[in-house]
Amino acid sequence: MLFSEGEIDLLSLLKWCQFAPRSDVLSAMPESVVNTLVLTGFIQTSGIADAFVLTAKGSRALDEADTGKFPSITQSYHTNSIERRLRLARLMLTAYRAGVNVFTTEASELISAPSLFLSALARGRGSDPWGSTRVGALIHLPGIVAAMHYVSPGIGKISLVDEIGVLVNQTAAIKDVDRAFFFAGTSYTDILKELGAGVVSTGKLITYGEACRTSPYPIFLLSCNETGAKQLRLMSVPKYREWFTRATLRSEFRPPPADVPDWDALFRGAPFVMAADMDLRRIDRACAKARKNGYDSVSMAALEPQAKEVLYPRYVDTGMAKVFVWTPETEAALFGEQLKLYSIGTAPYRNAKGAYAYAPIIEANRKSGRPAGTKARKLV
């Protein structure tokens, strides 16, 4: 049995993350791929968390398949460490589904876009420039390089100064880009719950809500699910705001005033905002400017789940905006392949040298209760 590209990808994801939530893996990967790797003993469910982990056999399979350089991470079974790994896995799976290169081992590999680097791969080694910062990953999208933080209720405080310093220093080699932050979580609702916590801090450490209000860089919210993957897919398009605005409005597109950068167009004489990147501070500024200029509301467009979860209650119910949703049908009609998520490869995997990787089928027979007649073949 040949390893497929999708099977090698899942083994690699577990090599990078160590623990990956079972439900998230099954939502991102075909069940047939997951079942095959479980039956052959390359992955298994963890007895500590409801998650998949890579077995020693699976790790050896990756080594023999010669997929490239692997991360060097110390395995930890501490409860807090496992929870961090699960969160990073959700980030990585979301980016993977968006077609982002997630299999990087050095921050320097972020030069090409789209790509993602987990800070955990470099923490605790050498001078450790990450210090006590809470950045989970760095991501490079066309025109944007950002620090990704996993935000959930009760997550704690950060030093915004330190987080900005790490982002700038670790991405200094990437030129001609804007810097930003992604605040990610299991859902937009969870993220907003923490950002709305009414805690006022004194001193260097502040809440994520305060960081969101005071950051000199844009803050994008990101849900770690299919909607978030589409959001990253959208943001992987060069000059995505203009591209998706023009594709949405078509012949009714009119350029926005040059002195209002937070508007993306004029639509039927009123301001229009492309809201699917979930930069809520920008949307707020666009609405405030519209009111100041005498407009009753603005029009905006976003993915359907984003509208239902955030934009309707925040802007429509308050009379600030009219929201047009991109349903799956309108996505296909307006954007073609631009929002299509990465399709897991089913073709036989071939490494950089052109060699195939063979998975031993004998182990699967043993799991099924069949007699083992010969030794399992080694991967080649």
Side-chain angles (χ1 to χ4, degrees):
M1 184 183 87
L2 291 174
F3 272 120
S4 70
E5 293 173 349
E7 288 164 348
I8 290 292
D9 279 355
L10 180 50
L11 293 177
S12 299
L13 281 161
L14 294 176
K15 185 77 170 181
W16 260 253
C17 299
Q18 297 186 350
F19 295 86
R22 186 174 179 276
S23 59
D24 291 78
V25 170
L26 289 172
S27 66
M29 296 279 185
E31 190 173 352
S32 59
V33 169
V34 178
N35 287 342
T36 297
L37 294 178
V38 170
L39 282 172
T40 49
F42 293 109
I43 68 173
Q44 64 185 24
T45 53
S46 168
I48 303 173
D50 186 20
F52 287 113
V53 296
L54 187 67
T55 63
K57 178 181 175 181
S59 186
R60 290 194 301 272
L62 276 178
D63 289 338
E64 295 187 41
D66 192 19
T67 61
K69 188 177 179 181
F70 295 122
S72 176
I73 313 175
T74 302
Q75 187 80 27
S76 175
Y77 295 97
H78 189 277
T79 301
N80 290 340
S81 295
I82 292 173
E83 182 57 36
R84 284 194 292 271
R85 293 293 179 194
L86 293 172
R87 290 170 176 172
L88 290 179
R90 292 188 185 103
L91 273 179
M92 195 169 181
L93 280 164
T94 302
Y96 171 80
R97 298 179 74 183
V100 175
N101 173 26
V102 297
F103 301 123
T104 62
T105 58
E106 304 287 345
S108 59
E109 295 177 49
L110 288 173
I111 289 295
S112 60
S115 56
L116 177 141
F117 172 73
L118 296 179
S119 64
L121 304 184
R123 287 187 182 273
R125 294 198 290 275
S127 59
D128 193 6
W130 307 94
S132 59
T133 59
R134 303 189 67 166
V135 55
L138 298 175
I139 189 168
H140 181 194
L141 302 172
I144 300 171
V145 63
M148 305 186 83
H149 287 243
Y150 197 95
V151 179
S152 59
I155 193 67
K157 298 181 179 181
I158 61 171
S159 167
L160 184 58
V161 173
D162 291 347
E163 300 294 344
I164 290 174
V166 163
L167 170 60
V168 172
N169 292 336
Q170 292 298 306
T171 62
I174 305 174
K175 307 299 183 182
D176 301 321
V177 293
D178 295 326
R179 285 176 172 77
F181 287 97
F182 277 94
F183 286 176
T186 55
S187 68
Y188 297 113
T189 301
D190 261 9
I191 303 166
L192 287 171
K193 183 177 180 180
E194 176 61 21
L195 298 185
V199 179
V200 178
S201 304
T202 57
K204 184 178 181 179
L205 297 180
I206 61 175
T207 65
Y208 272 97
E210 292 169 303
C212 186
R213 291 187 288 274
T214 60
S215 169
Y217 296 150
I219 307 284
F220 302 103
L221 306 190
L222 180 74
S223 60
C224 292
N225 52 25
E226 181 176 325
T227 301
K230 285 188 176 183
Q231 179 183 334
L232 288 181
R233 179 76 172 151
L234 173 150
M235 296 179 72
S236 296
V237 175
K239 298 182 179 179
Y240 67 89
R241 284 176 178 149
E242 180 180 355
W243 194 97
F244 281 94
T245 297
R246 287 180 178 274
T248 299
L249 301 183
R250 299 195 171 187
S251 63
E252 297 200 66
F253 173 87
R254 298 292 182 274
D259 61 342
V260 189
D262 294 321
W263 297 352
D264 295 305
L266 291 177
F267 172 58
R268 297 176 182 175
F272 177 90
V273 179
M274 202 294 295
D277 58 6
M278 296 303 284
D279 182 352
L280 299 189
R281 295 194 312 177
R282 179 176 186 263
I283 299 172
D284 290 344
R285 292 194 303 268
C287 292
K289 184 66 174 178
R291 288 285 178 87
K292 184 178 180 180
N293 287 14
Y295 295 99
D296 292 334
S297 64
V298 304
S299 297
M300 61 182 71
L303 298 164
E304 188 172 20
Q306 294 173 332
K308 291 181 177 179
E309 191 172 350
V310 179
L311 303 180
Y312 285 167
R314 188 180 179 97
Y315 300 105
V316 175
D317 295 349
T318 58
M320 297 172 65
K322 301 174 183 177
V323 177
F324 299 95
V325 299
W326 298 329
T327 64
E329 293 75 21
T330 56
E331 287 173 24
L334 293 175
F335 313 132
E337 298 289 303
Q338 293 289 3
L339 286 185
K340 187 176 180 180
L341 296 183
Y342 176 67
S343 180
I344 307 303
T346 57
Y349 171 79
R350 300 183 72 171
N351 63 23
K353 299 175 183 177
Y356 293 102
Y358 290 88
I361 60 174
I362 299 302
E363 295 298 324
N365 290 341
R366 288 176 181 171
K367 293 286 184 181
S368 302
R370 299 175 186 172
T374 59
K375 291 183 179 180
R377 290 180 293 165
K378 291 186 68 176
L379 299 178
V380 295

